[in-house]
Amino acid sequence: MRVLILGGTTEASGLAHLLAADRRFETTLSLAGRTSNPRTQPVRTRIGGFGGADAMAAWLRQEAIEAAIDATHPYADQISSNAVAACGRHAIPLATIMRPAWRPGPGDQWLTVTNAEAAAEALGPEPRRVFLSLGRLELGAFASSPHHHYLARTVDPPEGIVLPANIRLIFQRGPFDEQAETALLKHERIDALVSKNSGGAATYPKIAAARQLGIPVVMIARPHKSHGHVVHNAEAAAGWLEQRLAHRIVPGSARGV
Ligand code: NAP
């Protein structure tokens, strides 16, 4: 079965590893090409946008893709909308890995806002020491609140983006651990954290560290994400593919295999 994984996440890599070991699947992993040095993957990988939903639909047909898994990040809403449209065009079954969101617990001080601009506004008029744990493309929103001192952590350096004047950058890729996150927040005397609600374990330690230190979190809410059949992790996506395989009709044969 020829499978497309839309990736750029831990779940996509996990699924690629599960399928690479299974000779019943011929898997292609698609990455947007946002990071300069993506991790090596055990399956065929294509990098870069398709050129919109129509072009993705043409690519699916050209590659004779039989099932697709959208394993993109919870905040990557455009590619998910394109995947629903493109798969729908050729009646290609689509499953979407929806990573459960984090929920505030006792001791958490979250203020939920709709986007990075609203997060900058929510930091208020008094100068604060702010940790921005966001993608590099979102940092520009904070240029309009130049009175804060920012520490931003991204995977790659931001290029072509007007940054706030008072910002320091660190380049790191998760997973992170709670002890190190607590030490970082303390050492930098951070008094506000801005984060997306990414879900998952890899980047949660900063949230736990903020709770432990009594630091408020400005949480950017998730966008609406179009989806196919919903699963919650890579293993469930592999199980869904197994079911598709069981019901698959091989052209020219009288029954499924
Ligand atoms: P997006 O806004 O949903 O997509 C913008 C465009 O990027 C899409 O229309 C598509 O271009 C291209 N694209 C996105 N994901 C792709 C993929 N897996 N393969 C091929 N093309 C893709 O996406 P985004 O928020 O910029 O995220 C880009 C990538 O980074 C995704 O793979 C996502 O999983 C990953 N990521 C995003 C975040 C985040 O916070 N947004 C965090 C961690 C990882 P065309 O229209 O030209 O096909």
Side-chain angles (χ1 to χ4, degrees), residues 4-9 29-35 46-53 55-56 70-82 99 134-135 137-138 196 198 225:
L4 168 68
I5 305 172
L6 293 167
T9 57
L29 173 66
S30 176
L31 301 174
R34 295 284 190 275
T35 52
R46 67 164 298 288
I47 297 182
F50 294 90
M56 189 197 285
D70 177 1
T72 58
H73 192 267
Y75 287 74
D77 51 349
Q78 183 60 55
I79 187 70
S80 297
S81 160
N82 292 355
R99 192 190 287 169
L134 298 172
L137 301 179
E138 283 117 12
K196 292 181 184 175
S198 296
K225 192 168 170 81

Side-chain angles (χ1 to χ4, degrees), residues 1-2 9 14 21 32 35 47 51 54 116 119 138 147 150-151 155 176 182 189-190 199 203-204 208 210:
M1 176 178 262
R2 292 176 66 84
T9 57
T35 52
I47 297 182
D54 290 348
E138 283 117 12
H147 51 293
Y150 297 101
L151 176 70
V155 176
F176 302 101
T182 305
R189 293 178 286 117
I190 296 298
T203 59
Y204 185 75

Side-chain angles (χ1 to χ4, degrees), residues 10 39 153 172-178 180-181 200-205:
T10 316
R39 290 196 173 97
R153 180 170 63 198
Q172 274 180 327
R173 198 199 298 254
F176 302 101
D177 76 73
E178 189 177 332
E181 296 290 65
T203 59
Y204 185 75

